[in-house]
């Protein structure tokens, strides 16, 4: 005799075939929960193995785990789904025919130039990755190398070590460069020491480079307001109900950027200004 206290069907709920379950492509950065273990993470990659397709997830702490892509094996926003391998996607087309992602005229078959003596410095790794994605083709044609600073506190020492000249100009992009800030004082001191012809320090108004990506590119209405004193990236993840893995969040954001049209003009202008500054004159022409 069956007890009414227990469900006679001992099959886990996510395995029961009670209704049609949607198939969802395991696109990079899709956040799902593996139903059997509760492991939650963003899709890193899919692979075909002798035992069948697998998906690798990365959790908020950067830990990776590999799972078989079994039917009804995952939860997406609380709903049971079957992950499937994503269809091959052709690389995103440039902004328009014959244009680079930055909107510049593309040079078919152009090879990267030998690096100029001048350089572009940006404040962090995410800044460098975003600049590379949108302006990378232009920078390679011009022979401009981008490096990142990890903050501006030691900018004066870095500029001194570089030793800019009229033929080896330095351009620096700083986050949240607003009047009266520590960053603005450092920028003014460096410029006064070396001269605006040799060193150009410009900034954008955003708290973080994430905010330079248009919300519409990510399917959100606006970037959240994060209370003062709270880590901005963490606050954004919480407000948008994203897993608290800022690395995974950044991959999602960067993946949504395909051209300059996905960026706020508050970043476009400063970066174009820096490229112009570094490429004027010098041994590679300009």
């Amino acid at each position: 005799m069956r007890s009414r206290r227990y469900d006679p069907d001992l099959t886990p709920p996510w395995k029961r075939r009670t209704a049609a379950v949607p198939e969802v492509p395991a696109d990079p950065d899709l956040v799902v929960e593996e139903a059997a273990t509760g492991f939650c993470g963003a899709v890193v990659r899919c692979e075909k193995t002798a035992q069948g397709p697998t998906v690798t997830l990365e959790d908020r702490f950067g830990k990776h785990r590999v799972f078989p892509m079994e039917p009804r094996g995952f939860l997406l926003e609380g709903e049971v789904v079957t992950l499937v391998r994503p269809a091959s996607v052709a690389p995103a087309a440039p902004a328009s025919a014959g244009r680079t992602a930055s909107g510049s005229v593309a040079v078919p078959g152009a090879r990267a130039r030998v690096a100029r003596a001048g350089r572009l410095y940006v404040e962090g790794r995410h800044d460098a990755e975003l600049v590379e994605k949108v302006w990378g083709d232009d920078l390679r044609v011009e022979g401009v190398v981008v490096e990142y600073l990890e903050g501006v506190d030691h900018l004066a020492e870095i500029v001194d070590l570089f030793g800019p000249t009229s033929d080896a100009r330095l351009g620096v992009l700083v986050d949240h460069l607003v009047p009266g800030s520590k960053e603005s004082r450092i920028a003014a001191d460096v410029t006064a020491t070396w001269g605006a012809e040799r060193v150009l320090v410009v900034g954008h108004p955003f708290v973080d480079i994430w905010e330079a990506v248009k919300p519409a590119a990510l399917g959100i209405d606006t970037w959240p307001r994060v209370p003062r004193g709270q880590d901005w990236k963490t606050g954004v993840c919480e407000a948008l109900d994203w897993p608290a893995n800022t690395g995974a969040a950044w991959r999602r954001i960067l993946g949504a950027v395909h051209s300059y049209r996905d960026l706020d003009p508050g970043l476009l202008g400063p970066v174009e200004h820096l490229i112009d500054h570094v490429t004027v004159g010098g041994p590679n022409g300009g």
Side-chain angles (χ1 to χ4, degrees), residues 7-281:
D7 187 340
D9 185 354
L10 300 180
T11 305
W14 59 88
K15 293 289 187 180
R16 296 176 190 168
R17 300 183 178 278
T18 56
V21 173
E23 292 187 343
V24 177
D27 293 321
D29 298 328
L30 176 73
V31 177
V32 295
E33 178 184 340
E34 203 279 328
T37 63
F39 185 92
C40 183
V43 173
V44 175
R45 61 181 173 273
C46 295
E47 295 177 298
K48 187 176 181 180
T49 70
Q51 291 75 36
T54 64
V55 60
T56 301
L57 303 182
E58 180 184 57
D59 71 4
R60 58 184 293 187
F61 304 107
K63 181 180 178 181
H64 287 197
R65 287 190 62 178
V66 180
F67 298 99
M69 296 173 68
E70 295 181 344
R72 309 173 64 89
F74 298 86
L75 302 178
L76 176 61
E77 297 181 351
E79 300 296 327
V80 178
V81 299
T82 296
L83 288 186
V84 296
R85 289 170 59 85
S88 298
V89 180
S96 60
R99 297 278 176 175
T100 67
S102 71
S104 301
V105 176
V107 183
R111 295 182 178 181
R113 279 188 179 183
V114 175
R116 291 176 178 267
R119 291 287 186 274
L120 286 184
Y121 278 90
V122 296
E123 193 166 346
R125 180 172 59 84
H126 292 175
D127 307 58
E129 290 175 349
L130 186 60
V131 168
E132 162 60 27
K133 184 159 189 180
V134 177
W135 287 274
D137 289 340
D138 303 359
L139 295 170
R140 280 184 284 278
V141 168
E142 295 291 349
V144 177
V145 174
V146 178
E147 300 184 24
Y148 65 92
L149 298 170
E150 288 295 344
V152 297
D153 289 345
H154 303 290
L155 179 60
E157 292 91 327
I158 291 172
V159 176
D160 289 346
L161 184 63
F162 182 83
T165 68
S166 58
D167 291 333
R169 299 183 177 196
L170 192 61
V172 183
L173 179 68
V174 178
D175 289 349
H176 205 220
L177 189 63
V178 295
S181 66
K182 174 189 69 175
E183 291 81 4
S184 67
R185 292 192 294 272
I186 292 174
D189 290 344
V190 167
T191 303
T193 300
W194 288 94
E197 180 185 350
R198 298 178 179 181
V199 179
L200 175 65
V201 182
V202 300
H204 56 69
F206 311 110
V207 175
D208 188 275
I209 198 69
W210 290 17
E211 201 178 15
V213 178
K214 289 181 178 178
L218 292 159
I220 60 177
D221 294 330
T222 187
W223 283 103
R225 291 186 178 274
V226 177
R228 185 179 296 274
Q230 181 181 6
D231 178 73
W232 191 83
K233 291 186 174 80
T234 302
V236 165
C237 290
E238 290 179 356
L240 295 177
D241 200 25
W242 291 353
N245 180 336
T246 56
W250 171 242
R251 288 194 295 274
R252 174 186 293 196
I253 295 165
L254 187 63
V257 176
H258 301 294
S259 78
Y260 71 96
R261 292 188 176 93
D262 297 316
L263 301 181
D264 190 282
L267 178 66
L268 296 175
V271 173
E272 296 286 354
H273 191 188
L274 288 173
I275 294 174
D276 289 345
H277 172 77
V278 173
T279 55
V280 169

